């Protein structure tokens, strides 16, 4: 495949190097901030587990496989979550709740595959490929079995690909680090993707992003004075973005899972 990714022009080579240095420097700063913070060993979410979960859910309408994984993940990274929340002045349960919703689900290789295709296919080629897959007998069964695949069907540029346990888009990660997304090239996108695949760094960057989202609706409210509804509105923005109205953010369905699990999330954080 010949890449259709449009890198910035050659005269911006110094800026591209600066972007890579920024990502590397931010990575080192975040790791330094986590020095001494305990992480309990925990396995990555595997393709086998994802398949077992979807099969169990289809047959028994039972989601305990993925829910147990989510609980274990939050418990394993609870100290990192609490440190990140403290550093960026957000409620720990906000960060933990977003993590609980995002981890598990589709296996990580879906992100790599999506990025590879988005980096190498034009919009016309992308739409043709997905229509062919979706209309095939095998493809339609796969989409029924793994509904999350639908999120990959619409054409998006490569910087819209999400990576990491907390499913953060490359463009959002760039903005969070103060990097204009239009200045990303393939090298800096891959550097950001590598950063996001590190669970500790992904937690730190998600905390920083949530702190930015808090400023939209509650810039003058101390984090320890946020109500549960306000916390959920911020969590919803993590899913639907910063540009929607507060009414939309406050009532989005994403936060319902957060609300339903909040007591357990708090127990996982402080067990």
């Amino acid at each position: 495949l010949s890449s259709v990714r449009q890198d910035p022009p050659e005269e911006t080579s110094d800026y591209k190097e600066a972007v890579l240095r920024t990502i590397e420097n931010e990575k080192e700063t975040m790791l330094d901030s986590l020095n001494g913070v305990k992480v309990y060993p925990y396995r990555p979410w595997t393709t086998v587990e994802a398949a077992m979960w979807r099969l169990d859910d289809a047959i028994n309408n039972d989601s305990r496989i993925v829910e147990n994984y989510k609980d274990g993940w939050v418990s394993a990274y609870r100290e990192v979550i609490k440190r990140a929340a403290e550093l960026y002045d957000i409620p720990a349960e906000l960060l933990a709740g977003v993590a609980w919703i995002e981890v598990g689900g589709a296996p990580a290789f879906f992100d790599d595959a999506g990025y590879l295709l988005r980096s190498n296919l034009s919009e016309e080629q992308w739409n043709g490929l997905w229509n062919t897959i979706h209309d095939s007998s095998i493809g339609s069964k796969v989409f029924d079995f793994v509904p999350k695949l639908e999120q990959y069907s619409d054409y998006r540029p490569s910087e819209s690909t999400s990576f990491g346990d907390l499913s953060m888009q490359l463009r959002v990660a760039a903005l969070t680090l103060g990097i204009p997304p239009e200045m990303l090239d393939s090298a800096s996108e891959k550097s950001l993707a590598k950063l996001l695949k590190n669970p500790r760094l992904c937690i730190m960057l998600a905390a920083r992003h949530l702190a930015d989202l808090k400023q939209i609706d509650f810039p003058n409210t101390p984090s320890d004075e946020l109500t549960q509804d306000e916390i959920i509105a911020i969590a919803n923005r993590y899913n639907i973005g910063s540009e929607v109205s507060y009414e939309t953010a406050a009532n989005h369905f994403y936060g319902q899972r957060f609300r339903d699990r909040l007591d357990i999330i708090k127990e996982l954080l402080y067990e």
Side-chain angles (χ1 to χ4, degrees), residues 88-147:
Y88 294 108
D89 192 27
I90 59 172
E93 61 266 30
L94 167 60
L95 179 56
V98 167
W100 190 90
I101 293 173
E102 294 293 344
V103 299
F109 82 85
F110 280 22
D111 299 329
D112 292 313
Y115 178 79
L116 179 64
L117 291 172
R118 286 169 176 157
S119 298
N120 288 280
L121 297 179
S122 67
E123 182 172 3
E124 181 179 1
Q125 291 171 322
W126 177 275
N127 291 334
L129 172 66
W130 279 101
N131 287 337
T132 299
I133 294 173
H134 200 282
D135 292 343
S136 68
S137 58
I138 295 177
S140 62
K141 289 182 174 64
V142 171
F143 274 87
D144 289 341
F145 191 65
V146 188

Side-chain angles (χ1 to χ4, degrees), residues 140-165:
S140 62
K141 289 182 174 64
V142 171
F143 274 87
D144 289 341
F145 191 65
V146 188
K148 193 175 180 180
L149 277 174
E150 290 287 354
Q151 74 182 43
Y152 296 94
S153 61
D154 292 335
Y155 176 80
R156 298 177 184 176
S158 56
E159 65 266 22
S160 294
T161 308
S162 297
F163 283 97
D165 287 324

Side-chain angles (χ1 to χ4, degrees), residues 215-235:
Q215 292 300 109
I216 297 173
D217 301 307
F218 316 108
N220 300 314
T221 305
S223 62
D224 59 357
E225 294 181 11
L226 289 167
T227 67
Q228 184 180 115
D229 286 342
E230 290 169 344
I231 289 173
I232 289 172
I234 299 169

Side-chain angles (χ1 to χ4, degrees), residues 188-207:
S188 53
E189 286 182 349
K190 290 172 183 175
S191 182
L192 277 176
K194 183 178 180 181
L195 184 156
L196 290 170
K197 289 178 182 180
N198 180 314
R200 293 187 300 157
L201 295 175
C202 192
I203 290 169
M204 289 287 285
L205 204 54

